[in-house]
Short mmCIF file of all heavy atoms in Angstrom, two decimals:
data_model
loop_
_atom_site.label_atom_id
_atom_site.label_comp_id
_atom_site.label_asym_id
_atom_site.label_seq_id
_atom_site.Cartn_x
_atom_site.Cartn_y
_atom_site.Cartn_z
N VAL P 1 0.82 -1.11 0.02
CA VAL P 1 0.01 -0.05 -0.03
C VAL P 1 0.85 1.26 0.00
O VAL P 1 1.81 1.36 0.89
CB VAL P 1 -0.92 -0.04 1.16
CG1 VAL P 1 -1.83 1.32 1.23
CG2 VAL P 1 -1.84 -1.25 1.27
N PRO P 2 0.69 2.16 -0.98
CA PRO P 2 1.53 3.35 -1.00
C PRO P 2 1.08 4.41 -0.08
O PRO P 2 0.26 4.20 0.82
CB PRO P 2 1.30 3.88 -2.51
CG PRO P 2 -0.13 3.46 -2.76
CD PRO P 2 -0.28 2.10 -2.09
N VAL P 3 1.77 5.53 -0.08
CA VAL P 3 1.58 6.75 0.74
C VAL P 3 1.95 6.50 2.15
O VAL P 3 2.96 7.06 2.64
CB VAL P 3 0.13 7.30 0.63
CG1 VAL P 3 -0.01 8.60 1.40
CG2 VAL P 3 -0.32 7.48 -0.83
N ASN P 4 1.11 5.76 2.96
CA ASN P 4 1.46 5.45 4.28
C ASN P 4 1.38 3.94 4.73
O ASN P 4 1.69 3.63 5.88
CB ASN P 4 0.73 6.35 5.33
CG ASN P 4 -0.80 6.00 5.30
OD1 ASN P 4 -1.21 5.19 4.55
ND2 ASN P 4 -1.57 6.75 6.00
N GLY P 5 1.05 3.16 3.78
CA GLY P 5 0.95 1.72 4.19
C GLY P 5 -0.23 1.26 5.03
O GLY P 5 -0.36 0.01 5.31
N VAL P 6 -1.16 2.10 5.30
CA VAL P 6 -2.27 1.70 6.18
C VAL P 6 -3.39 0.95 5.46
O VAL P 6 -3.90 1.40 4.36
CB VAL P 6 -2.81 2.92 6.96
CG1 VAL P 6 -3.94 2.53 7.78
CG2 VAL P 6 -1.69 3.57 7.73
N VAL P 7 -3.79 -0.18 5.94
CA VAL P 7 -4.85 -0.96 5.48
C VAL P 7 -6.26 -0.67 6.30
O VAL P 7 -7.24 -0.56 5.71
CB VAL P 7 -4.49 -2.52 5.50
CG1 VAL P 7 -5.73 -3.30 5.07
CG2 VAL P 7 -3.28 -2.79 4.63
N ARG P 8 -6.07 -0.63 7.58
CA ARG P 8 -7.22 -0.36 8.48
C ARG P 8 -6.72 0.28 9.75
O ARG P 8 -5.62 0.06 10.15
CB ARG P 8 -7.89 -1.78 8.79
CG ARG P 8 -9.02 -1.60 9.72
CD ARG P 8 -9.62 -2.99 10.03
NE ARG P 8 -10.73 -2.88 10.92
CZ ARG P 8 -10.80 -3.53 12.09
NH1 ARG P 8 -9.93 -4.37 12.49
NH2 ARG P 8 -11.97 -3.42 12.86
N THR P 9 -7.65 1.17 10.19
CA THR P 9 -7.40 1.82 11.56
C THR P 9 -8.62 1.78 12.41
O THR P 9 -9.70 2.11 11.76
CB THR P 9 -6.85 3.21 11.40
OG1 THR P 9 -5.62 3.31 10.75
CG2 THR P 9 -6.73 3.99 12.68
N LEU P 10 -8.49 1.41 13.60
CA LEU P 10 -9.66 1.39 14.45
C LEU P 10 -9.34 2.06 15.78
O LEU P 10 -8.26 1.73 16.45
CB LEU P 10 -10.08 -0.09 14.79
CG LEU P 10 -11.25 -0.32 15.73
CD1 LEU P 10 -12.57 0.25 15.12
CD2 LEU P 10 -11.33 -1.86 16.10
N SER P 11 -10.12 2.99 16.21
CA SER P 11 -9.84 3.87 17.36
C SER P 11 -10.01 2.96 18.60
O SER P 11 -10.84 1.95 18.56
CB SER P 11 -10.67 5.11 17.56
OG SER P 11 -12.10 4.73 17.56
N ASP P 12 -9.38 3.29 19.77
CA ASP P 12 -9.41 2.44 20.91
C ASP P 12 -10.97 2.43 21.52
O ASP P 12 -11.28 1.49 22.09
CB ASP P 12 -8.45 2.95 22.01
CG ASP P 12 -7.08 2.57 21.68
OD1 ASP P 12 -6.80 2.03 20.62
OD2 ASP P 12 -6.23 2.74 22.58
N ASP P 13 -11.64 3.46 21.25
CA ASP P 13 -13.00 3.49 21.76
C ASP P 13 -14.00 2.85 20.74
O ASP P 13 -15.19 2.81 21.03
CB ASP P 13 -13.46 4.86 22.15
CG ASP P 13 -13.47 5.84 20.91
OD1 ASP P 13 -13.32 5.41 19.76
OD2 ASP P 13 -13.57 7.05 21.16
N LYS P 14 -13.49 2.33 19.61
CA LYS P 14 -14.31 1.72 18.55
C LYS P 14 -15.27 2.56 17.90
O LYS P 14 -16.14 2.09 17.15
CB LYS P 14 -15.03 0.39 19.19
CG LYS P 14 -14.14 -0.52 19.91
CD LYS P 14 -13.14 -1.11 18.99
CE LYS P 14 -12.53 -2.40 19.74
NZ LYS P 14 -11.60 -2.07 20.75
N LYS P 15 -15.13 3.97 18.11
CA LYS P 15 -16.12 4.83 17.50
C LYS P 15 -15.73 5.27 16.08
O LYS P 15 -16.59 5.69 15.23
CB LYS P 15 -16.31 5.98 18.36
CG LYS P 15 -17.04 5.88 19.69
CD LYS P 15 -17.16 7.08 20.50
CE LYS P 15 -17.88 6.83 21.77
NZ LYS P 15 -18.08 8.02 22.65
N ASN P 16 -14.44 5.17 15.77
CA ASN P 16 -14.00 5.59 14.43
C ASN P 16 -13.23 4.47 13.81
O ASN P 16 -12.22 3.92 14.41
CB ASN P 16 -13.02 6.89 14.62
CG ASN P 16 -13.91 8.00 15.15
OD1 ASN P 16 -14.52 8.76 14.31
ND2 ASN P 16 -13.86 8.26 16.46
N GLU P 17 -13.43 4.22 12.59
CA GLU P 17 -12.67 3.18 11.81
C GLU P 17 -12.44 3.73 10.38
O GLU P 17 -13.35 4.38 9.75
CB GLU P 17 -13.56 1.92 11.68
CG GLU P 17 -12.76 0.80 10.95
CD GLU P 17 -13.71 -0.57 10.97
OE1 GLU P 17 -14.79 -0.50 11.29
OE2 GLU P 17 -13.11 -1.55 10.56
N THR P 18 -11.28 3.42 9.88
CA THR P 18 -10.91 3.78 8.49
C THR P 18 -10.49 2.43 7.79
O THR P 18 -9.63 1.61 8.20
CB THR P 18 -9.77 4.83 8.50
OG1 THR P 18 -10.08 6.00 9.10
CG2 THR P 18 -9.38 5.01 7.03
N VAL P 19 -11.08 2.24 6.61
CA VAL P 19 -10.76 1.08 5.86
C VAL P 19 -10.27 1.47 4.44
O VAL P 19 -10.79 2.41 3.89
CB VAL P 19 -11.97 0.10 5.73
CG1 VAL P 19 -12.31 -0.47 7.13
CG2 VAL P 19 -13.19 0.72 5.11
N LEU P 20 -9.39 0.65 3.93
CA LEU P 20 -8.73 0.99 2.62
C LEU P 20 -9.74 0.47 1.56
O LEU P 20 -10.18 -0.76 1.54
CB LEU P 20 -7.42 0.27 2.49
CG LEU P 20 -6.65 0.53 1.21
CD1 LEU P 20 -6.23 2.00 1.09
CD2 LEU P 20 -5.42 -0.44 1.04
N LEU P 21 -10.26 1.35 0.74
CA LEU P 21 -11.07 1.00 -0.40
C LEU P 21 -10.33 0.70 -1.74
O LEU P 21 -10.82 -0.20 -2.43
CB LEU P 21 -12.10 2.16 -0.65
CG LEU P 21 -12.91 2.66 0.54
CD1 LEU P 21 -13.84 3.71 0.04
CD2 LEU P 21 -13.77 1.50 1.16
N ASP P 22 -9.36 1.39 -1.92
CA ASP P 22 -8.50 1.16 -3.13
C ASP P 22 -7.28 1.92 -3.01
O ASP P 22 -7.07 2.81 -2.24
CB ASP P 22 -9.35 1.66 -4.36
CG ASP P 22 -8.82 1.04 -5.75
OD1 ASP P 22 -7.90 0.24 -5.69
OD2 ASP P 22 -9.42 1.37 -6.76
N PHE P 23 -6.29 1.56 -4.03
CA PHE P 23 -5.01 2.27 -4.01
C PHE P 23 -4.47 2.08 -5.36
O PHE P 23 -4.82 1.21 -6.17
CB PHE P 23 -4.00 1.99 -2.97
CG PHE P 23 -3.60 0.52 -3.04
CD1 PHE P 23 -2.44 0.17 -3.72
CD2 PHE P 23 -4.26 -0.53 -2.30
CE1 PHE P 23 -1.98 -1.23 -3.82
CE2 PHE P 23 -3.88 -1.90 -2.41
CZ PHE P 23 -2.73 -2.20 -3.16
N GLY P 24 -3.42 2.93 -5.77
CA GLY P 24 -2.89 2.74 -7.08
C GLY P 24 -1.66 3.70 -7.17
O GLY P 24 -1.22 4.33 -6.25
N PHE P 25 -1.15 3.72 -8.39
CA PHE P 25 0.13 4.42 -8.67
C PHE P 25 0.10 5.34 -9.88
O PHE P 25 1.14 5.84 -10.32
CB PHE P 25 1.20 3.36 -8.93
CG PHE P 25 1.29 2.33 -7.78
CD1 PHE P 25 0.63 1.20 -7.82
CD2 PHE P 25 2.05 2.59 -6.65
CE1 PHE P 25 0.62 0.23 -6.69
CE2 PHE P 25 2.00 1.78 -5.56
CZ PHE P 25 1.43 0.58 -5.59
N ASN P 26 -1.11 5.65 -10.39
CA ASN P 26 -1.21 6.48 -11.60
C ASN P 26 -2.34 7.51 -11.33
O ASN P 26 -3.01 7.85 -12.38
CB ASN P 26 -1.49 5.71 -12.84
CG ASN P 26 -2.75 4.81 -12.73
OD1 ASN P 26 -3.38 4.75 -11.70
ND2 ASN P 26 -3.18 4.24 -13.84
#
């Protein structure tokens, strides 16, 4: 995964989540 390598992030309180939808190089 480019830019920062993150696939998923989940806050400790479980209220906020970020998931990778797509990535690319062009």
Side-chain angles (χ1 to χ4, degrees):
V1 180
V3 184
N4 62 0
V6 177
V7 174
R8 178 182 179 234
T9 295
L10 181 65
S11 64
D12 282 8
D13 61 10
K14 306 296 192 292
K15 292 182 179 180
N16 295 275
E17 182 180 11
T18 299
V19 294
L20 184 65
L21 303 181
D22 200 1
F23 64 89
F25 306 93
N26 60 350

